[in-house]
Amino acid sequence: MKSRRSFIGKSALLAGAALLGKSFQVNGQPAEAPVPLPSLKGRKVMFLFGGWDGHEPTKFRDYMVPWMENEGATVSVYDNLDPYTDKQLMANTDLIVQIFTMSQITQEQEKGLLEAVKNGTGMAGWHGGMCDAFRNNTEYQFMTGGQWVAHPGGVIDYSVQVTDQMDAITSGLSDFNISSEQYYMHVDPNVKVLATTTFSGEHSPWIDGCVMPVTWKKMYGKGRIFYTSLGHNLSHVLMSPNGMTMIKRGIQWASDSKYGPAENWVRPIYKG
């Protein structure tokens, strides 16, 4: 009984640390708590928007850019991908936020983007604006960690499960419901998954019960990558505040790519 009570006590303290972001001790030892998110103050951010209008790139620009500026970032806004070819500009950029669904990228543009991220520039994005942007470019997909392939049923009601309460991006966030596109994706097995969703099989019976990552973070070279499949429309994530909170926190985390320590993890799904 004593060991069971001890276990319950430790679990409660760890849960409190996750929810409150404070330091606790268990048996005199500090319990692990989420690393505080960095500020956007002083960060140089590149916001690129365009591609398919159905994902509302202009509305997201008008919402996200003022928020980042209010947080202290200097934001340069572009409606094309040509900045990716400017080596000096890319080297001086702390964070790239891109929404360019179903678009094409030139070889020179892709090379500039990949090189900058490998060297430490962070990247953050959501939905098809990041992981359904350049369907023919597999190295780009290797960088982002996933590629959209389907959204059975279109806009539907579904739930999102927060699976990592010890990460600062999702700390204190509870599971939530959302009405939007439930993305079925091909996902890199070595991303750090922060939230998932489970398919019901109502629209595609053969995937009934499939658990799919919704939000993740990863590294590409020295660059931090944040992605969430939420965000088909701006109103969808604004009506589900936990979703917008994840996006904003992910942007903060990725913006520290050049300044914070690299986060290394290898979580192979398939055992050798």
Side-chain angles (χ1 to χ4, degrees):
M1 179 64 75
K2 183 178 179 181
S3 61
R4 182 174 183 271
R5 287 176 178 171
S6 176
F7 170 78
I8 293 173
K10 291 178 182 178
S11 298
L13 284 172
L14 288 170
L19 292 172
L20 300 177
K22 297 181 179 179
S23 176
F24 289 84
Q25 290 192 341
V26 178
N27 292 337
Q29 298 298 319
E32 182 181 359
V35 176
L37 286 166
S39 168
L40 289 178
K41 187 175 182 179
R43 296 289 191 253
K44 296 178 181 178
V45 180
M46 180 185 295
F47 187 94
L48 301 96
F49 73 104
W52 185 56
D53 285 337
H55 283 163
E56 302 184 340
T58 301
K59 286 185 179 181
F60 272 106
R61 176 203 64 189
D62 293 344
Y63 180 87
M64 298 304 302
V65 171
W67 169 73
M68 289 188 287
E69 290 177 336
N70 287 338
E71 292 293 311
T74 299
V75 186
S76 301
V77 181
Y78 303 91
D79 63 358
N80 60 78
L81 302 173
D82 287 341
Y84 288 162
T85 65
D86 188 329
K87 193 167 185 177
Q88 183 175 355
L89 175 63
M90 296 296 285
N92 292 330
T93 297
D94 296 316
L95 175 68
I96 298 162
V97 180
Q98 172 194 282
I99 175 169
F100 251 93
T101 305
M102 292 190 292
S103 301
Q104 293 183 339
I105 189 170
T106 68
Q107 185 176 2
E108 185 180 7
Q109 289 167 345
E110 182 188 36
K111 180 181 178 181
L113 170 61
L114 297 176
E115 182 178 288
V117 176
K118 277 186 178 179
N119 288 334
T121 299
M123 187 169 187
W126 54 88
H127 205 63
M130 182 166 167
C131 280
D132 189 27
F134 316 122
R135 295 179 179 178
N136 294 327
N137 296 77
T138 55
E139 185 66 25
Y140 170 82
Q141 294 164 17
F142 185 36
M143 176 188 70
T144 62
Q147 169 63 38
W148 168 86
V149 292
H151 43 64
V155 175
I156 60 172
D157 295 330
Y158 67 96
S159 63
V160 175
Q161 287 70 51
V162 176
T163 57
D164 192 335
Q165 283 283 356
M166 295 309 297
D167 192 280
I169 294 174
T170 42
S171 174
L173 299 183
S174 58
D175 299 347
F176 59 95
N177 298 321
I178 189 168
S179 180
S180 191
E181 290 179 340
Q182 187 182 29
Y183 262 21
Y184 194 96
M185 306 188 71
H186 289 171
V187 181
D188 182 342
N190 193 41
V191 299
K192 184 180 182 183
V193 177
L194 305 178
T196 63
T197 188
T198 302
F199 285 83
S200 69
E202 177 183 356
H203 304 286
S204 300
W206 57 93
I207 61 170
D208 185 21
C210 175
V211 177
M212 180 65 56
V214 167
T215 303
W216 66 74
K217 57 195 236 184
K218 69 182 296 286
M219 301 295 296
Y220 181 77
K222 297 177 181 178
R224 293 183 176 188
I225 306 291
F226 167 81
Y227 174 77
T228 181
S229 64
L230 304 172
H232 174 67
N233 289 157
L234 177 61
S235 63
H236 293 180
V237 283
L238 290 180
M239 289 188 292
S240 298
N242 282 357
M244 181 54 77
T245 296
M246 279 196 283
I247 291 175
K248 290 180 176 180
R249 289 180 179 180
I251 287 172
Q252 289 177 277
W253 174 80
S255 76
D256 205 36
S257 190
K258 291 182 177 180
Y259 312 101
E263 296 191 22
N264 298 315
W265 57 82
V266 175
R267 297 184 177 183
I269 292 177
Y270 311 107
K271 294 182 179 180

